[in-house]
Amino acid sequence: MKLLNVPHWPLLIGPWISMSLGFLSNALVMGLNHSQMPVNMPPGVLVNPADIFHTAMNSATHLKLLADWIVLGDGIASPGDFLLWGAALATFPMLIAWIALILKEKN
């Protein structure tokens, strides 16, 4: 199947789908939690009072699975963050692969 007659179109839209899903996931969680991203804080760690975008996760938090709960070396991330990072990492290589396939087919 060709989308708008563009060959190998999944290589072009794959990163954009990942980016969109990551953004929508984070936006949905923040929208349902008073414009703040809930964070599952490790014991003894407090949210910086000057941080207006994050709040500590509690029993009233909505969509906890999509909030920031994945502990990384120096921070905490959400599943949506991983989709955004994946899209950022994949965009350029997929564009190069698409160009290479187009050039290969032209020769």
Side-chain angles (χ1 to χ4, degrees), residues 46-100:
L46 300 174
V47 174
N48 182 351
D51 184 354
I52 62 171
F53 297 108
H54 295 91
T55 186
M57 196 180 291
N58 58 42
S59 60
T61 299
H62 301 286
L63 295 177
K64 292 179 183 178
L65 183 64
L66 298 178
D68 284 351
W69 61 269
I70 303 168
V71 179
L72 303 173
D74 60 347
I76 301 175
S78 68
D81 293 337
F82 280 93
L83 288 168
L84 290 168
W85 296 334
L89 289 172
T91 300
F92 186 69
M94 287 190 156
L95 179 62
I96 296 300
W98 179 77
I99 291 170

